[in-house]
């Protein structure tokens, strides 16, 4: 009697798992960088830096201002 050999699907399962993980990473990375394309980040950075610079210059008092002249 010939024995029936069971098919080993281990490598197929591993291949499908790897492919699905790669696809998931690509899709999530695309979604993660979507907000960078709108330019909102650059606008917020420029506003933030201008406010920091304004605050920095307004906190620097001259010697005349300190003495009350």
């Amino acid at each position: 009697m010939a024995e029936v050999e069971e098919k080993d699907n281990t490598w197929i399962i591993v291949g499908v798992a790897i492919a699905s993980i790669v696809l998931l990473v690509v899709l999530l990375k695309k979604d993660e960088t979507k907000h960078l394309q709108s330019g909102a980040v650059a606008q917020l950075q420029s506003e933030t830096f201008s406010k920091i610079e304004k605050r920095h210059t307004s906190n620097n008092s001259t010697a005349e201002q300190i003495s009350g002249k």
Side-chain angles (χ1 to χ4, degrees):
M1 289 205 187
E3 292 183 23
V4 177
E5 235 180 85
E6 288 189 29
K7 206 172 190 182
D8 188 17
N9 293 330
T10 305
W11 290 112
I12 294 172
I13 294 171
V14 169
V16 169
I18 290 173
S20 62
I21 289 171
V22 168
L23 180 64
L24 182 65
V25 167
V26 168
L27 290 176
L28 289 175
K29 188 67 174 175
K30 183 180 177 183
D31 188 48
E32 179 182 334
T33 59
K34 190 183 299 182
H35 69 280
L36 295 175
Q37 297 170 354
S38 68
V41 174
Q43 181 184 2
L44 286 175
Q45 282 181 340
S46 65
E47 288 177 15
T48 303
F49 288 133
S50 67
K51 288 180 182 179
I52 289 172
E53 184 64 30
K54 184 178 178 182
R55 184 180 300 159
H56 178 69
T57 56
S58 67
N59 286 341
N60 291 339
S61 300
T62 63
E64 291 177 2
Q65 290 173 338
I66 292 173
S67 65
K69 293 183 182 178

